[in-house]
Amino acid sequence: MSQPPPTRIAIYPGSFDPLTNGHVDIIERGARIFDKIIVAILVNVEKTPLFSEAERVALIQEVFKGQPNVQVETFDGLLVEYAQRKGASVLVRGLRAISDFEYEFQMALMNRHLAPGIETVFMMPAEQYTYISSRLIKEVFMLNGKIDGLVPPVVEEQLRAKRAGRSKPQD
Ligand code: PNS
């Protein structure tokens, strides 16, 4: 009797502070190719994120609530060790421009050095998202710039709440 094909699990790691439509685009592409894609939020004790880990998990879960093969988790420590624990054989990363390449190239090769059985797969988002990053979204939005169409509506809503909280007069 033939064996059922193995389940292909991919990890899409990042900070996602916050999730942008560029991330959404990559997750959707990944979900079409792999049996399961785990969006893995790095727990970074050194950074002070705008959104807490719990907020980021909740936002991504909300955006992908109709898609059972998209899961959301947090991780710390080495990415490849986390991937091995999850039984994943693929790391997905988005490539927006040449400027991303050097950093991504180094990470992919270091991860291969650490875990030769895990492959990094790069995907390009749709052109209209190639210039956006979480960092720019936060900066522009907090300075009252418009970001419509660049993040999911629930993320924009939460950004609005953060901005309102920050502009309250201090005691
Ligand atoms: O999209 P980001 O925020 O640049 O993601 C960076 C991330 C989370 C992929 C990277 O920092 C990471 O993998 N951190 C976990 C620690 C680790 O494994 N470091 C070695 C990477 S070669």
Side-chain angles (χ1 to χ4, degrees):
M1 270 219 323
S2 65
Q3 296 286 316
T7 307
R8 279 247 177 250
I9 303 172
I11 305 282
Y12 180 44
S15 308
F16 305 104
D17 184 38
L19 181 79
T20 69
N21 279 345
H23 296 132
V24 171
D25 181 289
I26 297 289
I27 296 166
E28 282 172 348
R29 287 172 202 280
R32 285 198 292 270
I33 295 176
F34 303 106
D35 298 312
K36 179 158 93 179
I37 180 159
I38 304 174
V39 182
I41 303 170
L42 175 69
V43 176
N44 192 339
V45 280
E46 280 165 29
K47 276 193 186 172
T48 42
L50 181 62
F51 290 93
S52 69
E53 285 149 31
E55 286 173 325
R56 283 177 276 162
V57 169
L59 279 172
I60 303 172
Q61 276 173 341
E62 171 66 20
V63 172
F64 290 96
K65 66 181 173 209
Q67 279 175 258
N69 71 332
V70 178
Q71 289 182 1
V72 190
E73 292 193 357
T74 58
F75 79 102
D76 59 9
L78 276 181
L79 173 61
V80 288
E81 288 181 357
Y82 166 74
Q84 281 161 340
R85 286 199 299 278
K86 303 310 292 184
S89 53
V90 173
L91 303 174
V92 169
R93 293 289 289 172
L95 268 189
R96 290 163 301 187
I98 301 281
S99 51
D100 282 340
F101 182 77
E102 197 171 340
Y103 170 61
E104 294 297 335
F105 181 77
Q106 285 178 342
M107 273 208 307
L109 292 184
M110 179 57 86
N111 283 329
R112 182 183 284 167
H113 166 81
L114 295 169
I118 295 181
E119 208 58 61
T120 301
V121 169
F122 293 105
M123 289 189 198
M124 279 159 289
E127 284 128 76
Q128 69 263 36
Y129 305 130
T130 49
Y131 64 94
I132 60 173
S133 66
S134 298
R135 186 187 62 76
L136 266 186
I137 292 288
K138 283 184 283 194
E139 184 175 321
V140 169
F141 194 76
M142 289 303 170
L143 296 170
N144 301 313
K146 68 182 174 77
I147 54 157
D148 43 303
L150 303 182
V151 295
V154 275
V155 172
E156 192 170 341
E157 230 169 75
Q158 292 293 312
L159 276 166
R160 214 173 284 288
K162 298 269 177 202
R163 189 172 63 187
R166 285 198 170 183
S167 59
K168 279 200 190 114
Q170 303 291 311
D171 295 330

